[in-house]
């Protein structure tokens, strides 16, 4: 028997777009806007595809539960509390962590492009799935991104 024929085959592969669509449908049935649902679904699938499966689709049930119990404020938006040319403080307003983290990283990138550095902190957010996705946003812009969390 050749090694190729002894390799296990998995017939239960689901396309990435189908997984994203499933997650989005689950969130929308729970009252989440399409825009926020897409942001969170993208972060979950991004994380799964990189092998950090404990922070991707596996969290869907707990996120739905957090929505139902009010631990995540659906369809709220993070707000800018104060800022300087290079820094900012954001109130996450208990929004989905990926929504808050995306907002913060986009703001940090804009500030870094203007001043050479962008440092944004936030409070009152929820679990942001995986910090690596937000660091990669900076990398895609030719920058170095550092993402830190206390959760």
């Amino acid at each position: 028997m050749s090694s190729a024929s002894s390799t296990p085959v998995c017939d239960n592969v689901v396309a990435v777009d189908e997984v994203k669509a499933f997650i989005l449908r689950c969130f929308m049935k729970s009252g989440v806007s399409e825009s926020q649902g897409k942001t969170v679904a993208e972060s979950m699938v991004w994380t799964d595809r990189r092998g950090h499966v404990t922070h991707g689709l596996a969290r869907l049930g707990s996120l739905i539960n957090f929505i139902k119990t009010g631990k995540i404020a659906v369809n709220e938006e993070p707000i800018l509390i104060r800022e300087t040319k290079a820094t900012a403080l954001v109130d996450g307003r208990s929004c989905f962590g990926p929504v808050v983290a995306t907002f913060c990283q986009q703001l940090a990138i804009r500030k870094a492009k203007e001043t050479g550095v962008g440092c944004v902190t936030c409070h009152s957010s929820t679990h942001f799935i995986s910090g690596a996705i937000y660091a990669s946003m900076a990398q895609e812009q030719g920058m170095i991104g550092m993402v830190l969390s206390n959760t």
Side-chain angles (χ1 to χ4, degrees):
M1 177 182 268
S2 73
S3 63
S5 63
S6 64
T7 303
V9 176
C10 179
D11 294 327
N12 298 322
V13 176
V14 180
V16 169
D17 288 341
E18 289 180 44
V19 176
K20 287 180 192 176
F22 171 74
I23 294 169
L24 178 59
R25 284 192 310 273
C26 291
F27 284 143
M28 291 179 72
K29 280 194 166 243
S30 298
V32 177
S33 70
E34 183 174 5
S35 172
Q36 287 197 4
K38 282 182 178 180
T39 297
V40 181
E42 179 65 35
S43 69
M44 294 169 75
V45 171
W46 189 97
T47 299
D48 275 342
R49 292 186 73 201
R50 282 150 184 86
H52 197 168
V53 297
T54 58
H55 282 61
L57 183 59
R59 294 193 59 83
L60 182 60
S62 62
L63 291 173
I64 298 296
N65 186 49
F66 291 158
I67 292 166
K68 289 179 179 179
T69 60
K71 291 180 181 175
I72 294 177
V74 296
N75 304 323
E76 292 290 337
E77 296 289 336
I79 57 172
L80 185 61
I81 301 296
R82 66 177 164 265
E83 67 180 321
T84 67
K85 289 183 179 182
T87 68
L89 172 63
V90 172
D91 180 350
R93 303 178 68 204
S94 298
C95 301
F96 271 114
V99 171
V100 177
T102 299
F103 177 87
C104 290
Q105 186 64 332
Q106 288 172 342
L107 180 57
I109 289 167
R110 279 196 311 273
K111 289 181 175 298
K113 284 182 177 180
E114 293 172 9
T115 67
V117 66
C119 180
V120 178
T121 61
C122 73
H123 64 82
S124 303
S125 184
T126 61
H127 194 289
F128 67 2
I129 308 300
S130 172
I133 189 171
Y134 313 107
S136 75
M137 291 168 63
Q139 179 187 13
E140 291 167 3
Q141 298 294 315
M143 301 176 175
I144 296 171
M146 290 179 56
V147 179
L148 309 170
S149 173
N150 69 345
T151 60

